[in-house]
Structures are given as C-alpha cells and as structure tokens.
Amino acid sequence: EVQLVESGGGLVQPGGSLRLSCAASGYTFTNHWMHWVRQAPGKGLEWVSRIDVDGSDAIYADSVRGRFTISRDNTKNTVYLQMDSLRAEDTAVYYCARCTWGPDFWGQGTLVTVSS
Amino acid sequence: DIVLTQTPLSSPVTLGQPASISCRSGRSLVHSDGNTYLSWLQQRPGQPPRSLIYKVSNRLPGVPDRFSGSGAGTDFTLKISRVEAEDVGVYYCMQLTQNPVTFGQGTKVEI
C-alpha cells in the first residue's frame, strides 16, 4: 500500500525556518517525481515545488523561489522541503504528492503556521 | 503562467442526478511530447486532495466509473454521471504541461 507521511510542521516566527519531510513507502520511490502543494486556511490548492527522480532537477513557484529548497534522499525514501525566510503568507497545510502522469497519491499534510 | 478557469464555482446538485464541471485553460495544454497533462482532484471536507483523473480522461484505480473526464486543447470537463452523497467536496483541475504547475480555483459540489 502506497503511503506518504508528512512531518515537520509547526509554529514558527516570521523570518524563521522549518524543514518538512515526506516519508514514502509501499512503492519504488525512485520511479516517481514528487511534488509539494500547499493550502492556506480556507483557500484553494497552490503548487510549491517539484523534484525529479534523482534530485537533479527541481522547480519552484515564484512565491517561494530563493527561500524554499526541495530535495530527496533516495536511500531513505524521503523528500524534503527546506523553508527559510518564512512569511505569514506561507501559513498553510503542506501536502506531498507522488507523481506519475499526474499526481496519484497524496499525504495527509502537515500544518505550518508563521506567526509572532 | 497558465491560468485555469473553472465553472461553475459552486454547483448545487441533486442525489442521483448528473453534474459537470468545466476547466478552461488560457493556453493549449498539449505538451511537446503529444500528451495533455490535465488532472482532476477531489477534496472532501477536512480531507487531503484525492486524485481522480490524469491525462484528461484516465481514471485512477479505485475511482468509481461515474467519474469521467473529457476534452482537448484548452477545454476540459469532469462529469459525475449520478451524484452520490460521498461526492460532496471541492473539485480542482490541475495542469502539469507547462511549468509552473497550476490549479483551477476549485468548484464546490454540494447537495
């Protein structure tokens, strides 16, 4: 059974940092690109970042480029999102998603709150 | 960025009746490889997103066959042939043809 489990969310002050993790199981991790998508309270879905199978190619939304870094450790079946210089508008539930021809499995999400 | 416009934004439905959601793209979603990377997602209240359809019309395993996707180029549709109570939620279209990936605004389906 495919499982994606996010962790690492929490309350952080503006300007602070957090690292989110997404642990994958139940499939061959290295066969799939991975995405991070976020959802601010009461809002729609916003794509954040994507990484290819070996971590050599990563792309970002304009709203996070230069502040967030996506990476993966294929030995640990885990994808990460390092979030620096956090702003109030980064407050959201962050989901990781496995991608085949499109996203096919999603995690339950982890809440990030940026507030003083 | 490719803008996806969904209509309607809210859709009151009757159990057992059909429902339809439109997703219109500002540009063609045909990729240079010939595929069209348009997906449909469902988000039930309080739940994470769930993927229903990929590449316009391909249902993911476990998705009931009352859900169908169609369209080409810039115009796409998600249809529910007979709405059931469990179908209540917000539906999103999503394009992965061109970076950055973008979503429609979401369509709320309610009984």
Side-chain angles (χ1 to χ4, degrees):
Chain A
E1 178 193 5
V2 173
Q3 285 198 316
L4 299 173
V5 179
E6 301 96 335
S7 61
L11 175 64
V12 62
Q13 292 189 339
S17 298
L18 276 178
R19 188 176 83 154
L20 305 184
S21 300
C22 169
S25 61
Y27 71 98
T28 303
F29 185 63
T30 51
N31 283 353
H32 296 269
W33 292 11
M34 297 294 292
H35 293 259
W36 286 98
V37 172
R38 68 184 180 183
Q39 187 170 36
K43 302 297 184 182
L45 300 173
E46 180 189 14
W47 176 79
V48 173
S49 183
R50 183 271 291 158
I51 191 165
D52 68 353
V53 294
D54 63 3
S56 62
D57 182 48
I59 56 172
Y60 301 90
D62 286 347
S63 57
V64 307
R65 188 177 297 114
R67 300 187 299 121
F68 289 12
T69 304
I70 191 172
S71 62
R72 64 191 293 162
D73 185 337
N74 287 343
T75 67
K76 295 182 178 179
N77 289 357
T78 301
V79 62
Y80 302 99
L81 188 68
Q82 176 66 41
M83 305 187 296
D84 298 319
S85 303
L86 283 161
R87 307 167 179 166
E89 55 265 35
D90 296 318
T91 294
V93 175
Y94 285 73
Y95 299 102
C96 64
R98 187 184 86 164
C99 191
T100 308
W101 300 109
D104 53 7
F105 283 95
W106 296 74
Q108 290 294 311
T110 187
L111 176 63
V112 172
T113 303
V114 184
S115 174
S116 55
Chain B
D1 297 4
I2 292 181
V3 175
L4 299 179
T5 303
Q6 290 184 228
T7 54
L9 295 183
S10 178
S11 179
V13 297
T14 302
L15 293 177
Q17 294 300 303
S20 180
I21 300 169
S22 170
C23 175
R24 180 162 290 178
S25 173
R27 268 176 276 170
S28 172
L29 295 184
V30 179
H31 192 276
S32 57
D33 67 6
N35 290 305
T36 300
Y37 296 102
L38 187 284
S39 292
W40 287 98
L41 316 175
Q42 174 196 62
Q43 190 173 31
R44 292 170 172 151
Q47 295 294 311
R50 172 197 181 196
S51 293
L52 300 175
I53 302 280
Y54 66 95
K55 288 201 296 178
V56 181
S57 59
N58 297 274
R59 261 191 315 274
L60 280 153
V63 175
D65 61 7
R66 64 179 180 274
F67 290 94
S68 63
S70 62
T74 60
D75 290 300
F76 304 93
T77 302
L78 176 71
K79 291 183 180 175
I80 310 174
S81 59
R82 294 172 306 279
V83 173
E84 297 190 5
E86 65 181 19
D87 300 335
V88 165
V90 181
Y91 291 78
Y92 297 90
C93 57
M94 173 189 187
Q95 70 81 23
L96 300 96
T97 292
Q98 184 175 109
N99 294 324
V101 172
T102 51
F103 290 92
Q105 322 97 297
T107 295
K108 188 172 186 179
V109 171
E110 50 198 348
I111 307 297

